[in-house]
Amino acid sequence: MTDIARLAGVSQSSVSLVLNQMTGARISSETQAKVWEAAQKIGYKSPGMRRQEARSPADGWQDMAKNKIAFIVDEISTSPHPVVSFDGARDFAFEQGFLVHAQATRSNPELEEAVLRSVLADPTILGVVYATIFTRKVNFPALLRDIPTVLLNCYAEPRKHISVVPGEVAGGFSATAYLTSLGHRRIGFINGEPWMDASLDRLKGYKQALATADIAFDESLVRDGDWLPLRGYEAALELLSLDPPPSAIFCANDLMAIGVMEAASERGFRVPEDLSVMGYDDQELARYTHPPLSTLVLPNYEMGQRAAEILIDMTVHRKAFRPMTIKIDGPLVSRGTTAKPRR
């Protein structure tokens, strides 16, 4: 939708209203035509349109008794990540003729048990996507023992369940390797909270990419963060005070990268001429920084799609899946904050 808005020269809100054919919106026919033309140009199709193509009119709606997926997540309102994962699961399921219902448990054991019992009592539920807001190990709920379940962004006992998680080591490697490919050899790294799986794996990928480029790991170039812009700003001030300062800083998320750009400006470093900045996640705001932020996509949407696909394959198509952990890698997006280092 962002791409369509840019091509049509309208806001993303207008694009959403037009493509979803919302009634009551005062959008001119000329604007609507621009949106549909831009959508056609890039090959965009809404989930409803894709579903209509995939199924003939005679197929009708899913006529099975079990036509719903329960999407159970510990938190959904404090971060965009689980929302995007839910979108992926919902869109894929809808194309196949199924609906996805979301429930947030807030990590409250009593609430989770109530949700699970409600799911088990619903004869229309074909299976469960059990998700977490950040990647972590979970205790697999005993109540889900007899219902098809796919873990999303989490994992439990090894070799007992199917889990879909982001490829964080690969992501940290790709982001760092991109900077080394530009010629950077002194690369700072501002990580997330050190106890989190994502932080541990992104740091591992950073180290592996340095080793691949025959660059010695320098602990003085690494700072722990907290995912927020202020800590990115503070850590960047520390790194830019080193002698010599790094020529590039890789941040474990986009919000801290914004703090880095602020610190660089304050200290007189031009981005990307004097300092390259790389983010991680590809949040919406990464497109609108000045210059736009280079980043590594956290593939939440694709993870949600894959979880729904596996669940439907298990329950509807009767495909056999052995317990495994499926890692989804995200692409690197090169924008305006990265460049070759100055000689």
Side-chain angles (χ1 to χ4, degrees), residues 202-270:
R202 292 174 194 180
L203 176 60
K204 188 180 298 183
Y206 166 78
K207 289 181 176 179
Q208 289 180 0
L210 292 179
T212 300
D214 199 25
I215 300 172
F217 171 69
D218 184 348
E219 192 172 358
S220 71
L221 291 173
V222 176
R223 296 291 186 277
D224 288 330
D226 61 2
W227 311 109
L228 297 176
L230 178 58
R231 180 53 191 151
Y233 167 83
E234 294 170 343
L237 290 179
E238 296 173 12
L239 291 172
L240 295 175
S241 297
L242 296 175
D243 186 16
S247 63
I249 296 179
F250 166 37
C251 298
N253 80 336
D254 295 336
L255 292 179
M256 291 191 296
I258 290 174
V260 170
M261 294 172 69
E262 178 67 22
S265 176
E266 184 177 298
R267 287 296 177 91
F269 287 78
R270 296 170 301 165

Side-chain angles (χ1 to χ4, degrees), residues 10-264:
V10 301
S11 69
Q12 188 170 336
S13 298
S14 296
V15 172
S16 178
L17 291 170
V18 172
L19 294 185
N20 288 298
Q21 302 180 49
M22 301 290 286
T23 59
R26 297 180 179 178
I27 299 178
S28 69
S29 57
E30 181 182 358
T31 298
Q32 293 185 46
K34 286 182 179 179
V35 170
W36 286 113
E37 182 181 353
Q40 186 176 23
K41 185 178 294 184
I42 69 169
Y44 174 87
K45 294 176 183 176
S46 70
M49 294 163 64
R50 294 195 296 265
R51 180 179 173 273
Q52 289 171 7
E53 291 180 356
R55 301 170 63 86
S56 68
D59 289 335
W61 183 248
Q62 178 60 244
D63 59 0
M64 298 173 57
K66 297 181 181 295
N67 62 3
K68 298 174 190 169
I69 294 172
F71 187 99
I72 301 173
V73 62
D74 54 358
E75 183 59 77
I76 202 167
S77 60
T78 59
S79 168
H81 301 312
V83 178
V84 177
S85 292
F86 172 76
D87 284 347
R90 178 202 59 202
D91 291 350
F92 182 88
F94 185 64
E95 291 171 22
Q96 309 303 313
F98 300 94
L99 295 175
V100 179
H101 291 195
Q103 289 277 4
T105 65
R106 307 301 299 272
S107 297
N108 182 322
E110 294 180 357
L111 177 57
E112 178 171 289
E113 182 175 352
V115 167
L116 293 176
R117 291 193 181 281
S118 174
V119 167
L120 293 174
D122 187 343
T124 66
I125 297 293
L126 64 88
V128 172
V129 173
Y130 186 87
T132 54
I133 191 171
F134 60 86
T135 309
R136 62 184 177 90
K137 185 176 182 179
V138 297
N139 293 318
F140 189 81
L143 287 172
L144 293 180
R145 181 178 55 247
D146 297 323
I147 186 170
T149 301
V150 176
L151 299 178
L152 176 60
N153 202 35
C154 56
Y155 55 94
E157 299 91 342
R159 296 179 294 279
K160 288 189 177 182
H161 308 284
I162 297 178
S163 300
V164 179
V165 299
E168 301 283 29
V169 176
F173 181 95
S174 295
T176 309
Y178 174 67
L179 294 172
T180 63
S181 73
L182 291 175
H184 295 280
R185 296 189 62 81
R186 189 163 171 80
I187 302 170
F189 179 47
I190 303 176
N191 204 358
E193 294 168 279
W195 57 270
M196 298 182 70
D197 284 18
S199 301
L200 294 170
D201 286 348
R202 292 174 194 180
L203 176 60
K204 188 180 298 183
Y206 166 78
K207 289 181 176 179
Q208 289 180 0
L210 292 179
T212 300
D214 199 25
I215 300 172
F217 171 69
D218 184 348
E219 192 172 358
S220 71
L221 291 173
V222 176
R223 296 291 186 277
D224 288 330
D226 61 2
W227 311 109
L228 297 176
L230 178 58
R231 180 53 191 151
Y233 167 83
E234 294 170 343
L237 290 179
E238 296 173 12
L239 291 172
L240 295 175
S241 297
L242 296 175
D243 186 16
S247 63
I249 296 179
F250 166 37
C251 298
N253 80 336
D254 295 336
L255 292 179
M256 291 191 296
I258 290 174
V260 170
M261 294 172 69
E262 178 67 22

